[in-house]
Amino acid sequence: GPGNWSSLESGWGECSMGRQQSPIDMELDIRRDRSLHMLRWDGPSEPYEALLVGPLYANALTLTNLKGHMTVSGLKMDLRNMTIHTPSEHKVAGYRYHGELEFTHQASVGSDHVGLVVSAFLSLGDTTSPFLRTTLNAIRGFAYTYNPHAVNGLSYDPPIYQSDIKPPVWFSTQEAATGVLGQGSNYANYMAYAGSLTSPPCSEGVTRIVLRQPLSISAQDYAIIASLQGHTARPSQQQDGRAIYEALSHPQGA
């Protein structure tokens, strides 16, 4: 489990020794920051093929080969993938949402890689956010279900070889921008802090942006995702004195 990650590989020491680990409970030392700009995704105007990888290979359902970018602090960050966690990895004032979408970005600065992860919470509602429709259609095609009691250390039953990689999914970065950043004015309604990846090697130096307004997912669709992967959230990490910066558009006192 997550508590043993650092002992499994020599390069995973940050998982236990790092001082800027994610996720965290976003409650303490929240500061308003006038330098936080509106968020924007730029990408192809037409849908394109992405690849859905299931939790047997990626820990949590992950949509890869995404296209587009977000510019943060003048740096163009390329959009790489979207991971669906159940329940949410981050908490807000102790509350954990039903799920969390994590959009991972990366840029190269000289020989260094700089990371950015934009998170959107999922909350149960009457309907599912339309931009998730094609992804949910592909998820329904998985043939196995999560089995925490499987023998021989297997987490999935049946462990069908290569059954965990599905055909391409049509994904629209522009539709995601509207559905995610446009929801509740999330483009200017978010919190940010210095964090890490939430899976090995738990690399730090990652800007974490957490959108305040959750996206809706129906109980039926949520049940399908949860049945495939179970609990995928990493436990909350220590804040260790890190400040959380909040965009100024969030209403005072809310």
Side-chain angles (χ1 to χ4, degrees), residues 5 21-23 59 85 89-90 102 196-200 202-203 208 234:
W5 281 345
Q21 290 291 293
S22 298
N59 179 51
H85 282 286
E89 296 209 293
H90 287 89
E102 296 185 357
S196 74
L197 300 179
T198 58
S199 59
C202 308
S203 303
R208 302 289 311 211
R234 185 188 188 191

Side-chain angles (χ1 to χ4, degrees), residues 54-107:
L56 188 59
Y57 292 108
N59 179 51
L61 287 158
T62 301
L63 197 61
T64 65
N65 299 343
L66 301 187
K67 301 177 181 179
H69 67 271
M70 178 178 286
T71 300
V72 176
S73 299
L75 187 61
K76 181 178 175 181
M77 310 288 289
D78 294 326
L79 176 62
R80 298 297 180 85
N81 56 58
M82 178 188 79
T83 302
I84 307 174
H85 282 286
T86 51
S88 70
E89 296 209 293
H90 287 89
K91 297 178 184 178
V92 177
Y95 179 77
R96 192 186 295 275
Y97 285 86
H98 288 88
E100 183 173 342
L101 303 180
E102 296 185 357
F103 295 88
T104 302
H105 306 66
Q106 191 176 72

